[in-house]
Amino acid sequence: MASPSERHTDSLAPLAITMGDPAGIGPEIIVKGWLENEIRDLPRIVIGDPDLIAEVARKYSPELLVQQIDSPEHAPRDPGILGVLLPEHEDILEPVSPGTSQVMAGRWAYYCVRTGVELAMAGRVAGIVTAPLNKKVLHAAGFNYPGHTELIAHLTNTPRYGMMLVGGPLKVILVTTHIPFREIAGKITKERVLETIQLAREAMDMLKIASPKIAVAALNPHAGEASLFGDEEKTCIFPAILEARAEGIEVEGPLPADTLYAKAAQGRFDIVVSQYHDQGLIPLKMLSFGQGINVTVGIPIIRTSVDHGTAYDIVGKGIAQPGSLIKAIRLAGQLTEGRMVTRA
């Protein structure tokens, strides 16, 4: 099968990279990673502020030519030219100050994502890769979503979806995501755990992993120790595992989380169903900090993302690293191979 770098032809719809929060490191990592060899010849455009992207490119990648385009169909053929599409919007979009939290940045982030999703749903781009946004700023701009995943699920009218993270030797998918810690146990239900196991199986199909081994992490220490430390394993998690097995899914658990991730990192499992955000993200980021990829599972389009935030504190210092974005673009290109979108 051809690699993304071997498939650059005029007939391929490009990937769309959303700028994210323009006051964050998104523009910097986009221009820094644009000419990397592993993605250099993969057709792609940026959805964002053409003037800002051009300004950042002059600072960090002066050899890169930035060109505003009016549609994905006009994506530059030369990988040395970065085509930027202004997002469709109803609000006023004005320049922002770098490195600071501001409402205007939330507007930019929202409209970039919405435009990318609309183009992907119409088949005009092959998928989207999202640079980071700031959830607080998104909310301040009037868009009340916990994050990218929920926003994209809403825009694609998808009720059943999941957040998978890929990094180093680990792949994790989350039963619960961005909620207060005190609310986690109440959100762990048999139905949600089963749905996440099913989504884990779909994720393995996306990644073309045959006969995957899926593990489910326990919520409580020592998997509840026969319900001494909590009974969610008995009442919710194990019943979901039994039902998944009845559907033909190869799944083990609930397994104590303090040893499970080490086993998964050693290759004993292909993906871990994690009960909450930090349970899955702490081990993954310890092993692949700055190189992880976020993949939304269950939606009708391809969407990958970086696994880090806007990093306001380092904006303009020239030290932001594009590694996670490069890997997210590369994976999105690989995922399009099985569902290739061509230009009309």
Side-chain angles (χ1 to χ4, degrees):
M1 183 175 291
S3 68
S5 63
E6 294 171 330
R7 296 186 290 104
H8 183 72
T9 70
D10 295 343
S11 64
L12 296 185
L15 291 169
I17 304 168
T18 63
M19 176 179 65
D21 185 324
I25 61 172
E28 180 178 339
I29 60 176
I30 287 171
V31 301
K32 280 184 173 180
W34 194 265
L35 296 176
E36 286 293 318
N37 287 336
E38 58 186 301
I39 59 169
R40 181 183 177 91
D41 294 324
L42 183 65
R44 62 212 134 100
I45 61 170
V46 171
I47 301 175
D49 181 351
D51 293 333
L52 174 59
I53 298 297
E55 178 185 345
V56 174
R58 285 192 293 271
K59 185 174 182 179
Y60 298 114
S61 296
E63 72 279 21
L64 187 61
L65 177 64
V66 176
Q67 179 183 96
Q68 184 171 348
I69 59 175
D70 57 12
S71 76
E73 291 76 20
H74 295 150
R77 302 174 185 178
D78 183 345
I81 301 175
L82 191 162
V84 185
L85 179 68
L86 194 67
E88 295 286 340
H89 58 95
E90 290 84 44
D91 294 324
I92 294 173
L93 294 180
E94 297 176 338
V96 302
S97 301
T100 62
S101 173
Q102 53 209 289
V103 171
M104 187 60 66
R107 293 179 186 170
W108 273 106
Y110 171 79
Y111 287 114
C112 287
V113 172
R114 192 185 74 173
T115 298
V117 169
E118 289 174 349
L119 291 172
M121 292 290 284
R124 297 178 65 195
V125 298
I128 62 172
V129 181
T130 56
L133 55 73
N134 182 290
K135 299 171 185 63
K136 180 179 178 181
V137 170
L138 186 69
H139 290 186
F143 307 109
N144 296 313
Y145 301 94
H148 264 121
T149 301
E150 295 81 5
L151 168 57
I152 294 169
H154 173 77
L155 292 171
T156 57
N157 194 30
T158 304
R160 176 180 169 278
Y161 57 90
M163 180 190 294
M164 176 176 70
L165 287 300
V166 179
L170 287 179
K171 301 176 188 68
V172 303
I173 189 167
L174 308 180
V175 176
T176 63
T177 53
H178 301 117
I179 60 174
F181 192 84
R182 64 180 176 272
E183 297 178 10
I184 291 171
K187 298 292 186 181
I188 305 296
T189 64
K190 187 194 83 168
E191 292 74 21
R192 180 55 188 157
V193 174
L194 175 60
E195 182 178 275
T196 308
I197 295 170
Q198 293 166 338
L199 287 166
R201 186 64 176 83
E202 292 178 23
M204 297 296 92
D205 290 341
M206 286 174 61
L207 296 174
K208 300 179 177 61
I209 296 175
S211 303
K213 296 181 177 63
I214 300 170
V216 179
L219 174 66
N220 297 296
H222 305 288
E225 196 76 71
S227 298
L228 287 175
F229 306 144
D231 65 356
E232 287 82 6
E233 287 74 20
K234 178 180 178 180
T235 61
C236 303
I237 301 174
F238 189 58
I241 291 170
L242 290 179
E243 195 163 325
R245 288 174 180 168
E247 296 177 3
I249 300 175
E250 184 176 347
V251 55
E252 293 186 31
L255 300 173
D258 60 352
T259 56
L260 171 55
Y261 293 93
K263 295 175 182 177
Q266 293 163 2
R268 290 180 57 179
F269 300 104
D270 295 297
I271 188 169
V272 177
V273 174
S274 303
Q275 300 302 325
Y276 57 95
H277 182 277
D278 285 8
Q279 185 186 60
L281 271 290
I282 288 174
L284 185 134
K285 289 192 176 185
M286 282 187 66
L287 295 173
S288 61
F289 190 73
Q291 301 290 316
I293 309 166
N294 185 332
V295 184
T296 306
V297 183
I299 58 175
I301 63 173
I302 289 170
R303 181 261 174 164
T304 65
S305 183
V306 297
D307 74 339
H308 58 74
T310 52
Y312 289 146
D313 59 320
I314 64 170
V315 172
K317 297 181 180 179
I319 59 175
Q321 297 299 313
S324 179
L325 181 66
I326 292 167
K327 290 186 179 300
I329 294 170
R330 183 171 181 268
L331 179 58
Q334 293 170 339
L335 293 176
T336 64
E337 291 180 355
R339 46 189 291 185
M340 188 59 61
V341 178
T342 58
R343 292 173 175 166

